[in-house]
Amino acid sequence: MSDAKTYTLQDCVKKIEDIRQTFASDIAQLGGQLQPRAVEDLKVKFLGRKGLVTELMEALKSMPKEDKPGAGKVINELRQGLEKELEALKIKAEEGALDQHLNQHRLDVSLPVQVRRGQGSLHPVTLMRRILLTEFRRLGFTVYDGPEVDLDFYNFSALNFKDDHPARDMQDTFFIADRAKTILRTHTSNIQIHAMLHEKPPLRIVAPGRTYRCDSDLTHTPMFHQIEGFVVDRGIDMGDMKGVIDRFLKAVFGEDLETRLRPSFFPFVEPGAEFDLQCVACRGKGCRICKQTGWLEIGGLGMIHPNVFEAVGYSSEEYTGFAFGFGIDRMAMLRYKLSDLRQLFEGQQDFLGQFPTYP
Ligand code: FA5
C-alpha cells in the first residue's frame, strides 16, 4: 500500500473487501486446530502496529478530503468487527486448549495429596516422663503399670484408708456410674497394691500414669499424671529414701534447686511427708505460680505403713520400705517454666509445638 496517495473511497471499500476475504481464508486454514497462539498471530497480522487494518487507516491521510469521513467510518466498522471476531476466536481457542489439556492429563482424584508434614514434637508430659524413667532405670528401678479404672480396695482400703476416714475426702473422687466401688484412681498408689500382690520382695518399682480428681485451677487439672515409686526389702530406712530422692532430683532439675520436706499425713505411710521444690519461675521469691510461697508441692512420700504390708500378705516384721508419689505435670511445669498447668491439656498446637522432639 505504498501508493496510498491515490486511494479513493471506492479503493478503500475494495481493500476492505480484500481484507475480509483474507481474514476468512486465514481462519478456514486454521480449521479445527484453533490454538490461542494462532489467534494472537491473526490479531497481529490484521490489527497490529503494522497490520493490514492499521495500514489502511494510515492511507486515510492521503485520501481526498471529501472521502475521508466515509472511509474512516467503514475502516472503523471493519476494525471493530475484526476485534469482536478475534475475541470470540480467542475464547474458543482457550476453551479448546483447556479441553485438550484435561483429556491428556486426566485428573486422578484418588492420588494422595503431596503435603510436606513438619516433624512433630513430644508433649511436655511425655518428655518429663521419659526423663524421669531414664533416671529411675539408672537407679535400678523396674517400670510397672496398673489400671486407671480400679476398685476402691486398691485405691483406698488396702492403702489403709478406713471407710469413714477423712483422708478419702482429701481426694475428690470420680465414681463409675452403676458399678459399685469402682472409681477412676485418684493416685498411682493403687499400683503399690497391684504390684505387691503379684510380686515378692525385694521390689524397686516406679509406675507413671494418669490419675483423676475433681479439681481445676492454675496448678490442678481433673486429669493429671503421677509417678509412683516404692522400694521394699529387709532393712530399708529413711536414709535410703532421702538418698534416692536426692539423686534423681539433682539429675532431673540440677544441683542448685532447693528442696524441702514437710511432715504430712497419708494413711499408707508412717512417718509421712510432703515434698516441695523451689519454684523455678521466681527462684523462691514468690510468684503467681507458687502462690507467693516460693515453693511448689511436688508430691508425698514416707515409710510404707505396716498395715499396707499386712493387706498384701507381706510380713511387716521382716520387711520395711518407702514410697513416693510425685506429680509429673508439676515437674514439667517447673522444668519448662509453664505458668498454667491447664495449658498442657488444651491441645493448642502453638503451645505444644515449642517443645523438643527428644528429651
Ligand atoms: C498423693 O496422691 C499420694 N498418693 C502421694 C504419696 C505416694 C504419698 C506414696 C506417700 C507415699 P497428693 O494428693 O499430695 O498425694 O498428690 C501428689 C502430687 O500429685 C501433688 O503434690 C501434685 O504434684 C500432684 N497433684 C495432685 N492433684 C493434682 C491435680 N489436680 N493436678 C495436678 N497435679 C496434682
Side-chain angles (χ1 to χ4, degrees):
M1 220 178 292
S2 50
D3 56 346
K5 280 195 276 305
T6 61
Y7 261 50
T8 63
L9 179 58
Q10 268 177 342
D11 293 332
C12 186
V13 170
K14 165 92 180 47
K15 189 71 191 165
I16 287 174
E17 194 48 40
D18 288 350
I19 291 177
R20 282 196 192 287
Q21 271 178 18
T22 314
F23 187 72
S25 81
D26 280 2
I27 290 174
Q29 263 178 32
L30 290 177
Q33 300 298 310
L34 197 60
Q35 293 293 333
R37 166 66 63 81
V39 178
E40 201 49 43
D41 289 346
L42 277 184
K43 194 173 174 184
V44 173
K45 179 173 176 182
F46 289 89
L47 303 176
R49 224 156 33 88
K50 292 183 181 162
L52 296 176
V53 179
T54 318
E55 263 184 16
L56 196 53
M57 301 274 266
E58 287 291 313
L60 254 185
K61 292 178 194 159
S62 58
M63 284 173 93
K65 208 172 166 202
E66 63 277 14
D67 284 351
K68 275 187 183 173
K73 187 167 175 273
V74 284
I75 296 172
N76 227 3
E77 280 169 5
L78 170 72
R79 194 173 54 79
Q80 284 174 355
L82 292 189
E83 271 174 2
K84 240 182 170 170
E85 280 188 60
L86 282 166
E87 190 53 33
L89 282 173
K90 187 179 164 206
I91 293 171
K92 205 172 152 196
E94 281 173 354
E95 283 174 357
L98 183 64
D99 278 349
Q100 198 182 358
H101 177 83
L102 290 177
N103 280 334
Q104 282 167 1
H105 307 89
R106 285 218 164 271
L107 188 63
D108 182 355
V109 288
S110 67
L111 273 181
V113 184
Q114 292 194 348
V115 181
R116 279 182 68 82
R117 285 180 218 285
Q119 195 178 17
S121 57
L122 290 178
H123 192 282
V125 173
T126 305
L127 287 167
M128 197 65 231
R129 191 186 60 228
R130 290 192 181 182
I131 291 167
L132 294 168
L133 291 185
T134 304
E135 211 41 52
F136 277 115
R137 283 197 184 100
R138 245 181 228 147
L139 292 172
F141 282 73
T142 303
V143 181
Y144 220 85
D145 200 5
E148 289 173 35
V149 181
D150 210 355
L151 294 172
D152 177 285
F153 170 78
Y154 296 95
N155 193 88
F156 290 126
S157 305
L159 285 164
N160 201 31
F161 287 78
K162 303 285 175 269
D163 277 352
D164 57 351
H165 203 293
R168 283 181 191 256
D169 300 332
M170 282 161 43
Q171 305 183 351
D172 286 332
T173 310
F174 291 109
F175 289 85
I176 305 295
D178 306 328
R179 293 283 295 272
K181 301 220 169 234
T182 309
I183 56 162
L184 293 184
R185 68 176 174 198
T186 58
H187 51 179
T188 42
S189 300
N190 65 332
I191 301 175
Q192 288 186 37
I193 305 303
H194 286 282
M196 287 190 219
L197 284 170
H198 281 93
E199 316 286 340
K200 287 191 174 18
L203 302 179
R204 214 186 287 182
I205 287 174
V206 274
R210 275 184 286 267
T211 47
Y212 305 85
R213 294 180 199 174
C214 309
D215 234 349
S216 181
D217 62 29
L218 281 182
T219 52
H220 293 84
T221 48
M223 188 283 298
F224 58 103
H225 300 82
Q226 285 189 343
I227 182 164
E228 192 80 6
F230 46 98
V231 172
V232 181
D233 204 350
R234 295 185 179 93
I236 298 291
D237 60 27
M238 286 190 76
D240 298 312
M241 178 172 82
K242 190 161 186 321
V244 167
I245 304 297
D246 276 359
R247 273 270 309 263
F248 110 83
L249 282 174
K250 293 226 161 70
V252 173
F253 289 101
E255 297 289 331
D256 63 333
L257 203 67
E258 300 264 335
T259 59
R260 75 175 183 190
L261 285 179
R262 286 175 290 119
S264 186
F265 172 75
F266 298 96
F268 38 98
V269 287
E270 181 58 39
E274 212 112 37
F275 183 82
D276 298 338
L277 275 184
Q278 193 183 55
C279 177
V280 181
C282 64
R283 285 276 155 189
K285 289 195 192 79
C287 67
R288 206 167 76 100
I289 300 173
C290 59
K291 298 185 178 130
Q292 310 305 331
T293 62
W295 299 93
L296 207 63
E297 183 195 305
I298 293 299
L301 73 175
M303 299 303 291
I304 297 175
H305 197 289
N307 288 356
V308 174
F309 285 146
E310 299 305 329
V312 296
Y314 285 8
S315 161
S316 59
E317 297 290 315
E318 195 178 349
Y319 294 107
T320 50
F322 66 83
F324 56 86
F326 294 164
I328 301 181
D329 322 87
R330 293 264 180 96
M331 287 190 267
M333 201 175 171
L334 286 178
R335 190 176 166 106
Y336 300 113
K337 300 193 171 61
L338 310 178
S339 57
D340 188 335
L341 200 69
R342 291 168 293 195
Q343 285 173 300
L344 290 173
F345 309 116
E346 284 167 355
Q348 294 294 333
Q349 184 58 37
D350 287 352
F351 168 74
L352 295 174
Q354 302 170 52
F355 297 93
T357 316
Y358 298 103

